[in-house]
Each structure stands twice: as structure tokens, then as C-alpha cells.
Amino acid sequence: MSTTRGLRRRVALGAAVALTLAGLAACVPSEPDGASGGESEDPGRSDGGSGGELAIGTTADVVNFNPLVGNSRTDSWVTNLMYPAMMTIDDDGTKVPALATEWGYGEDGLSAWIEIRDDMEWSDGEPLTAEDVVFTIDAVKAEQLGTVAGMISAYESATAASDTRIEFTLSRPDGAFLNSIGFWMPIVPEHVFGQAPSVADFANDSDWVSAGPFVLTRVERGQRYVLEAVDTYPLAEDGRAALDRVVFRVYPDVNTEVLALRSGEIDLIGNALPPSVARDIEGDEELQTFSVPSLGWAHMQYNMRRSPLDRVEVRRALAHAVDYEAIREVVLGGNAVSANSSVLTPTFKQWVDETAEEYEYDPELSRELLAQAGVENLELEMIYDAGDPNISSWAELVRDQAAEAGITITLAGLERNTYLARTNERDFDIYAGSWAIIDEPQSNFSLLFAPEGFINYAGVNDPEIDRLLAEASSALTVEDARGPLHELARIVTEQVYDNVMYVEQFTFAASNEWTGFQPKPSELLSVVNPQSLASVRAAD
Amino acid sequence: MALLRFASLRVLRGLLTLWFAVSVTFFLVRLLPGDPALAIASPTMGEDQRQQILADFGLDRPLAVQYVTYLGELLQGNLGVSFRQSVPVADVLLERLPWTLILTGSALIVTLLIGLPLGVLAATHRGGALDRVIQIGGVVGQSLFVPTVGIALLYTFGLWLGWFPIGGAIDDDVYGLEAYASMLRHLVLPCLSLVVLQIGAYVLTLRTNLIDALGEEYCTVARAKGAPEHRVVWKHALRNALLPTTTLVGLQLGFLVGGAVLTETIFAYPGVGRAIYESVGQLDFPVLQGAFVLLAAAVVVANLLTDLAYGLLDPRVRAA
């Protein structure tokens, strides 16, 4: 008997030791081979480099290395450093040159062209030409890839007129076409992606080739993504990135990232900091912060398929029952600006409607409007993503303020996938959420307000809106599109088709040991956009 | 002959358990709210594109068809391809598994090395101050919430004292001995939080059993024969008291894995637990199914091996 027990005990401990040793053996990295070590360590750079390593915190792994498929934030941060976009966005929310130098439409709007730089090449030495652009957009159309596929419904075909000129044929005038593909479509190398039987299924998880400032050289899932600077990156001031290396490190959440930043484990946090954390950080002398506006907005939508939300008086009553300024000051700690209840937000200087006015907080007016509509004891449920700290906080304020106007709002903070499912099924009275990026109102507004729009959660179905959408989308210049868009935005505000509450100002934090960051609007571009990371250098 | 019959019955039982676990997982992940296409969808995608994604994942077919296809693939050793990463699930898991083995294995070793002496101390000082402290510590440890322990450890030892790193499992560019040292430094805090959480169960179980054993007649006889107390405790009583404690190792295995999901997430430790956590958020069914098959198989195989070993050594077991 004692032999059996002894054996059990030893089996338990022995198994634990064996498991641990097996794990250890598999995890200890083997030293790189001396002969090829230099090459594999630093494939792009031949000068040895002394620009240092910048460690960036992120809260998620790269899900997919194929930039035409992956669409998570970390995916974009990493792949944007390798697959260049033709345009980027400036502080006024305007699209400006990156890989592209010039672009325009033909007079009838059925053709368009883009000129790209002539000095770009992939890190394996192949030149980046117009052929790569044509290959990319054709792959997106043929295989209906990712986000971009939904933006190119007007696209028919493209040809490379020269190494630097791409000419497009469109089926109808689409004034947002060039800006959309310019900003959203990363250009991939035809000589690599074209080898795969299907671009959609191409994992692109090794032997990366880059035309950005850095190239991925090592991936340790769950831990880090190492990118080395490449020899030439013409968009950088010195013709290449000042840094030698960029490492993305994975942490479970922003709070842990802040611990890591303060302990010196990382130099920069890619994610926007929640307002409470941002306030805390701003007093730290060893850290610097950057503030950029969102390219979207936070809002509530009222489900007009349901009575009595189909009545404009009721929606107005709801809109006047919220103290927006209090939400911006108290919940967001001032890190938000008013959009004057307009879907044309102040982030986009060329579109903003200066005459727009915010819904006034007036519970009495709300009561009157409800009385006019003959609605009593209004009870509604509001759904939101419980994982969003800002919305979870202001949802409570909205509920309490609505109570002042005699409206009962029941809060339903949901797990993210449940929230997405209920939103998609339009199963809500009030939807609270935010758009991350609505950068091209000419085309994006169709998604929001056309009857069949994928994110037309409120159920807008208004012939006047449809007419203005058509007019705006076919306008080929900002001047021509502005009129119909302003008119459309005014109707949206009047009818409370979308209750725009604020535009968040994101805060990012970095160690003071680095300088040269170029923050850009949105959490997508953040301070980790290619232009920014190409110009970061050690502070003196 | 009896041994062969015993062994085949146990293997059959193991396979049935595995099939049950696989099936429950298959249907459970499909009960999660939302669908994988929505988790991926971006606003510019249309309904057509969403339906296309579902079709690509095979989720447009009837559930029964999906289930039979999945079991067929599984029988051929194919765990499928990750929805989100476009790479085989086996690759995803094999990359993560070693880290989970290190974490759970070392947590188990440390728990046993510290927990057993503590249990003995508590039992031999029954009713005394030491006993009370150990008991209270054990109960508190068991009732703590993993993230609370994790964050407390991170603040204290990671940020404030700066002794250990905030996250990860190993530093960049370290090799040989340096790599082992780096892994050890990264292992300390996550391992410690797992130890804190599970050590109570071992200490308290051992304490109770040891107290029972010390009251048994054979211990009285040993004492009457003049054996010193430490010999009575360590040689006679402990051996019997350890039996239920070692059984606890098997029972706690599931708990340890559950703890690893949270611990790995908090400490950014790149193991299977963290992969499970991420896959739940992304509704990556193939990775979730694969991870659970792996864990279920580990538990089933461990139990099977123990059963077989007992059967080999103790004829009474295989007669039962």
C-alpha cells in the first residue's frame, strides 16, 4: 500500500516537474547563428544603426498580418508600418499626400487618376509601382476584401498608365472614391501577394516585405512584434527612420500599460488613455502626453421602427433631456468637444457647419414635447457596450437626467458581442455608442442614413435625405458637396436621426526620453502612424 | 486478462469523456451571443459581405452538418483553421502550450513544496495561534479574486519595488543562461498569484486529514512504542494523510487551468489561457474548440495514466 501512495505522490510531483521542464525546453530561444546573425537581426539596414529601440505598448495581438484582411487596431498599427497608404490625414481632417503625390477626377466623374512617388521600393529591392496599386484594388474588388471592398462600389477597372500613374474607370461619379482608397487601402507588393492562390486566405505571417519605414522581423505571439528600420524610406526627413527598431509589446489592458510605461518597460502607449488615467499621467514629469481629436463621434440613436420613437417630438424630448456639457466635463474630464449636435463635426474643417447649435438641456421643454405628442410614462431601454468605460459612465447620467423630464430609461450594459448582435438585429429602444472614424461624409453618410445602410441603426428612411445623399456623393469637389451635406446634417439634427453628443479628444502618453512624435487624429493613426515613428528620435 | 479488460474499459471511458467534452464545447461556443462575422465586420461592409464571411467559415450550414464535419476532421487530427488568423489552430496552440506548462507546472511544484509543510505545521499545532494564522491565510487565499491578487502583486513588486517585470514571459534578445534567468523573473509574479489562490485548498485538506490520522490507533501505538512525535507525524500519519491530498492535485487541475486563463491575461503571459481569453472576445470558434480539446485531453490522459498505474500495482483496483 505504501508503495502505491508513494508512487502517487511522486507521480504528481514528477508530472509537475516534467511539464515545467518540457515547457522550459520549448521556450528558451536558441542563439542566432553567428554567420547569418547580422543579416537576420537587421535585414533592412546596413549602417549598423544607433537610433535605439522604441517599445510600444498595445492591448491586443496582431490577429492577421494580411493588411487587406486584418482590421483590428494592432493589425493596422503594425501593417501600416510596412504597407503604405497613398494618403494620410492632417490636423484639419483633410487627406494629404503620402505615397500618392497628386490625384483628380475626369470632368464627367467617370474616370480618376493618381500619381504616386517614383522613389519608393520594397525592402527586397523591387520597386513599388502603379502595378502594385492596380493589383491591390483588383484583389480587393475580386475577393471582396475587408473594409475597402465596401468603399469601391463605383470602381470598374484600373490601368497602370506608367510606373507612377494609375487611371481608374468608374461606373458612376463618386466624389469620395479617391480619398477612400487613398486613406484606407494599404498597397501590397504584387510580387509577393500575387503568388498566393487567394489573397483573402494569404496569412502573410513570415518573410515580410515592406515599403514603409520598418519591416517585421520577429513575432512572438502574446508577447512582442519586432520591426527593424529599413534602409530607405523616402517619406522620412533623413530618407529613413531615425530609430533602429520598434517593438510592440502586448499587455492585457491600458492600466497595465501605464504601469509598464511608468516602470520604464515601454516608451509609448499606442492606445488612447481613459480620461481618469490621462488626468493622472499629466502630472508625471517623466512622461509627455499628446492630444488628438477623434475622427468620429459619440452618440445615441433612437429606434424609429418602434413607437413612440417614430415621432419626432418624442425624439426631440429625449435630445433635450441630456446635459451634454456636464457629460463632457464630468465624465470625459474636458477631453471632448461639442459637435453642436451635428454629424459634420469640427474635426473636419472643410465640412463643419458653423451655424449648427447643440440641443439645449431643458427638462421642461422635454415634458412639453412629450405632452404635445400625447405620450405619458415613457419607458425605454438603452443598450451599450459595458466594456466602454466612458459610455458606461455617461449612460448613468443620461438615465438620471431623463428622469428629470419624466422619462424612465433602463440601462442595459452588454458584453460586446451581445451588444453587436442586438444592434445588428435593431433590437433596442436607444442605442448608445460611438463611431471610430467617419472620414468621408460624401460616402459614409449613406451607410448611416440610407434606408439600406449597414449602420443605419435608427431606421432613417427619408426621401429628402436620399436625394441629398445622391447629390453629395456624386459631387467631385468639396465646394459642390458642402451644400447638400450641410442641408442633410441640418435635417438629421432637426429630426434627431442621430443624436451627436461629443467628439472625444484622445490622449496618448510617451516617455520624455523620446522626441519627434507626429500625433494624428484618431486612435487608428495615434502617435504610431508611419510618419510619426519614422521621425521619432532620442531626446537630447 | 483482467488487466487488459481493465485497461480497455478505462481507455473507453477516457474516449467517452473526451467526446463529451468536445461536443459540449462545440455547442457551447455556438451559444455565445453575436456571430464571428459581426465581430469582424466593419461599418462599410454590407450584409452580403457578412453572409459571405459566415459561409467562408462554414457557419451557414445546419448545426448538425457542422458538428459531424468537425468530428470527422478531429478524428483525422485536424483542429481546423483559426477564423481570425488564417493559420492552423494546432500552430496557434503549440506556440502557446509551453508557456502554460511552465506556469502551471511551476505553480504546482511551489504549491506542494510550501503547502505540505504548512499543512503539517497547522495540524501539529492544532488550535494554536500558528494553526489559526495558517487556516485564515488559507481561506483568504482561496476566496481572493485572481485579478485582485494580480494587480496587487504588479503594483507592489512591478511598479513600486521594481523587482519584477510588468508583463511578458521573457526579455528580447536573451540566450542561454540569461534566458533562463529572464524567464524566471517573468515567472515569479504570475506563479505566485496562482500559488496564493490554490495553496489554501492543499493546506486545509492536508491539515484535516493529518489531524484525523494522528488520532488513529496506529499513531497511538507508535507513540506507545516510544516513537518520537516528529517520527509519528512524518513517518506514520503523513503518509496516510497525503492520499486525499494527492487526489486533490487531479481535482485542482481544472481549477489551475481556469486560474491560468485569468493569470496569463493579467500578466500578459503568452499561454493557452490568454489565447482562450482573446478567442472568446473574437468569437474564434476553431481556436476555442482546439484549446478545450487540448485541455480536456490533458486531464483525461492524466487521469487515465494514474488509473492504469494504480491498476497495475493494486489488484483490488482492477477487480473493482
Side-chain angles (χ1 to χ4, degrees):
Chain A
M1 274 305 283
S2 75
T3 319
T4 314
R5 276 177 222 134
L7 179 94
R8 285 184 185 196
R9 196 170 65 217
R10 282 196 290 273
V11 162
L13 202 60
V17 173
L19 287 181
T20 312
L21 289 180
L24 275 173
C27 292
V28 169
S30 51
E31 198 143 5
D33 183 14
S36 61
E39 201 178 82
S40 69
E41 278 297 282
D42 197 355
R45 193 147 183 172
S46 53
D47 67 341
S50 57
E53 171 184 310
L54 186 81
I56 304 169
T58 176
T59 51
D61 268 281
V62 172
V63 180
N64 200 310
F65 293 101
N66 183 336
L68 300 177
V69 178
N71 66 354
S72 85
R73 185 119 322 141
T74 311
D75 289 8
S76 302
W77 287 346
V78 170
T79 57
N80 282 352
L81 296 175
M82 301 197 285
Y83 307 101
M86 291 187 283
M87 302 174 197
T88 184
I89 205 162
D90 69 5
D91 292 344
D92 290 340
T94 310
K95 303 285 158 56
V96 291
L99 171 61
T101 53
E102 290 180 282
W103 52 87
Y105 293 95
E107 264 184 31
D108 56 1
L110 296 175
S111 64
W113 56 272
I114 293 182
E115 278 284 340
I116 61 169
R117 297 176 69 110
D118 61 2
D119 53 357
M120 301 287 286
E121 61 176 43
W122 298 100
S123 52
D124 59 0
E126 290 284 325
L128 190 169
T129 68
E131 293 288 359
D132 290 312
V133 180
V134 173
F135 168 78
T136 305
I137 193 167
D138 279 341
V140 169
K141 184 182 164 85
E143 301 190 38
Q144 287 292 298
L145 301 174
T147 311
V148 183
M151 302 175 178
I152 58 168
S153 57
Y155 171 71
E156 291 222 313
S157 63
T159 51
S162 73
D163 275 356
T164 59
R165 186 179 174 91
I166 308 102
E167 292 180 352
F168 304 90
T169 308
L170 305 179
S171 59
R172 58 177 166 82
D174 176 359
F177 172 75
L178 289 175
N179 281 353
S180 295
I181 62 164
F183 182 71
W184 286 103
M185 189 175 75
I187 306 304
V188 298
E190 180 181 11
H191 66 283
V192 178
F193 282 61
Q195 303 297 315
S198 144
V199 176
D201 296 334
F202 180 44
N204 189 36
D205 55 356
S206 61
D207 303 318
W208 295 276
V209 166
S210 163
F214 300 93
V215 61
L216 254 180
T217 54
R218 204 165 69 242
V219 167
E220 292 164 31
R221 275 192 195 276
Q223 296 202 74
R224 63 177 65 81
Y225 297 82
V226 182
L227 296 104
E228 308 279 347
V230 296
D231 253 347
T232 54
Y233 179 62
L235 272 74
E237 209 173 298
D238 301 328
R240 68 174 186 207
L243 290 165
D244 293 331
R245 184 141 94 136
V246 164
V247 180
F248 284 88
R249 295 210 186 134
V250 189
Y251 293 89
D253 55 35
V254 175
N255 295 317
T256 322
E257 284 181 310
V258 171
L259 289 183
L261 179 67
R262 290 190 147 163
S263 71
E265 207 168 292
I266 52 175
D267 303 300
L268 169 69
I269 297 177
N271 311 83
L273 303 177
S276 57
V277 179
R279 272 195 295 274
D280 198 25
I281 287 262
E282 269 156 16
D284 194 319
E285 286 178 4
E286 289 175 10
L287 302 177
Q288 53 185 321
T289 56
F290 311 93
S291 182
V292 299
S294 162
L295 291 173
W297 60 79
H299 60 159
M300 289 189 286
Q301 292 200 353
Y302 309 114
N303 193 345
M304 297 191 292
R305 299 167 195 85
R306 293 185 179 181
S307 175
L309 295 169
D310 53 345
R311 306 186 57 177
V312 68
E313 297 90 345
V314 177
R315 297 197 298 273
R316 281 190 193 138
L318 284 162
H320 285 289
V322 183
D323 186 346
Y324 304 98
E325 188 58 27
I327 286 175
R328 291 191 289 266
E329 287 307 315
V330 176
V331 177
L332 289 129
N335 291 308
V337 297
S338 168
N340 297 319
S341 301
S342 171
V343 288
L344 294 171
T345 69
T347 308
F348 298 95
K349 301 282 183 287
Q350 61 187 353
W351 300 119
V352 68
D353 179 3
E354 301 289 354
T355 62
E357 280 181 32
E358 187 161 77
Y359 302 117
E360 197 184 340
Y361 175 47
D362 188 347
E364 272 313 306
L365 177 60
S366 294
R367 283 178 189 276
E368 281 168 31
L369 285 163
L370 287 178
Q372 276 174 31
V375 173
E376 288 174 7
N377 303 323
L378 184 57
E379 288 185 24
L380 301 164
E381 185 193 42
M382 178 157 93
I383 64 162
Y384 55 94
D385 176 1
D388 186 317
N390 290 343
I391 297 182
S392 300
S393 303
W394 61 246
E396 293 180 15
L397 277 185
V398 167
R399 177 196 56 198
D400 297 346
Q401 290 162 356
E404 300 277 310
I407 303 166
T408 308
I409 293 182
T410 313
L411 298 185
L414 306 170
E415 179 275 330
R416 181 163 176 78
N417 286 311
T418 313
Y419 162 77
L420 290 175
R422 284 193 55 184
T423 308
N424 193 54
E425 287 152 17
R426 315 300 196 232
D427 178 16
F428 61 87
D429 296 327
I430 305 175
Y431 153 95
S434 59
W435 300 135
I437 302 186
I438 300 290
D439 62 320
E440 287 298 325
Q442 283 178 267
S443 57
N444 296 163
F445 281 6
S446 296
L447 303 167
L448 295 166
F449 305 121
E452 299 307 317
F454 188 52
I455 48 175
N456 179 359
Y457 298 151
V460 178
N461 191 346
D462 183 329
E464 183 59 10
I465 292 270
D466 296 343
R467 186 186 67 77
L468 292 164
L469 283 173
E471 198 182 325
S473 68
S474 59
L476 300 179
T477 63
V478 171
E479 289 67 33
D480 289 347
R482 196 181 285 131
L485 283 177
H486 278 196
E487 183 60 28
L488 185 151
R490 275 195 284 274
I491 296 176
V492 169
T493 308
E494 259 169 43
Q495 297 290 321
V496 203
Y497 287 151
D498 191 357
N499 184 357
V500 183
M501 302 172 69
Y502 59 84
V503 176
E504 189 172 352
Q505 304 290 300
F506 297 120
T507 305
F508 302 102
S511 151
N512 267 341
E513 289 172 16
W514 302 93
T515 184
F517 293 102
Q518 293 184 19
K520 282 182 179 291
S522 81
E523 199 178 10
L524 176 71
L525 297 176
S526 166
V527 270
V528 296
N529 63 78
Q531 286 81 1
S532 180
L533 292 185
S535 64
V536 170
R537 59 195 71 233
D540 293 331
Chain B
M1 200 53 212
L3 184 64
L4 192 67
R5 192 179 126 78
F6 166 76
S8 15
L9 275 176
R10 283 293 187 272
V11 169
L12 193 67
R13 199 171 73 177
L15 286 175
L16 271 176
T17 314
L18 200 57
W19 166 76
F20 185 73
V22 162
S23 305
V24 167
T25 310
F26 178 88
F27 292 106
L28 212 57
V29 296
R30 278 161 181 77
L31 282 178
L32 285 170
D35 72 55
L38 267 186
I40 293 174
S42 72
T44 58
M45 285 183 184
E47 186 58 24
D48 297 353
Q49 228 179 328
R50 198 174 76 82
Q51 293 303 335
Q52 184 59 47
I53 293 174
L54 287 179
D56 289 347
F57 292 163
L59 294 173
D60 57 337
R61 292 176 297 169
L63 204 56
V65 177
Q66 291 182 41
Y67 177 62
V68 172
T69 315
Y70 173 61
L71 281 189
E73 291 289 320
L74 198 60
L75 281 177
Q76 298 169 50
N78 185 0
L79 291 174
V81 175
S82 158
F83 284 169
R84 298 297 295 270
Q85 300 176 25
S86 316
V87 290
V89 170
D91 292 0
V92 176
L93 295 178
L94 282 178
E95 196 177 10
R96 303 293 191 109
L97 187 62
W99 294 111
T100 298
L101 292 182
I102 290 183
L103 179 60
T104 49
S106 60
L108 193 56
I109 293 170
V110 176
T111 305
L112 293 175
L113 288 181
I114 302 176
L116 300 188
L118 279 181
V120 172
L121 269 182
T124 50
H125 293 77
R126 185 184 176 185
L130 191 61
D131 181 27
R132 292 226 179 91
V133 170
I134 294 176
Q135 278 197 67
I136 292 172
V139 173
V140 169
Q142 272 183 302
S143 34
L144 283 174
F145 184 45
V146 185
T148 319
V149 178
I151 298 290
L153 288 175
L154 277 179
Y155 256 101
T156 315
F157 298 102
L159 183 66
W160 187 40
L161 295 170
W163 291 353
F164 300 107
I166 302 291
I170 186 168
D171 288 312
D172 214 0
D173 286 336
V174 286
Y175 306 99
L177 273 182
E178 220 186 322
Y180 284 102
S182 171
M183 279 163 68
L184 196 61
R185 272 185 349 109
H186 284 82
L187 187 60
V188 171
L189 294 184
C191 176
L192 193 59
S193 62
L194 273 185
V195 169
V196 167
L197 291 164
Q198 61 170 358
I199 200 167
Y202 288 91
V203 173
L204 298 179
T205 309
L206 182 63
R207 178 189 171 275
T208 312
N209 290 318
L210 193 55
I211 287 171
D212 285 350
L214 284 169
E216 292 285 335
E217 283 180 359
Y218 60 85
C219 285
T220 316
V221 171
R223 287 190 191 101
K225 283 163 77 178
E229 188 60 22
H230 70 88
R231 194 180 157 77
V232 175
V233 173
W234 290 94
K235 267 288 179 198
H236 299 272
L238 186 60
R239 291 199 162 192
N240 289 292
L242 268 180
L243 188 60
T245 315
T246 44
T247 315
L248 192 66
V249 174
L251 292 175
Q252 286 281 98
L253 199 63
F255 175 82
L256 195 62
V257 169
V261 173
L262 288 170
T263 312
E264 287 178 358
T265 304
I266 292 157
F267 291 96
Y269 210 77
V272 176
R274 190 164 153 75
I276 291 178
Y277 174 83
E278 288 162 1
S279 303
V280 170
Q282 298 164 348
L283 297 180
D284 198 334
F285 296 169
V287 175
L288 278 177
Q289 287 165 181
F292 284 115
V293 167
L294 185 75
L295 297 176
V299 174
V300 166
V301 168
N303 279 305
L304 186 67
L305 287 179
T306 328
D307 276 359
L308 291 180
Y310 289 173
L312 205 62
L313 287 166
D314 190 342
R316 287 174 303 174
V317 174
R318 54 179 189 259

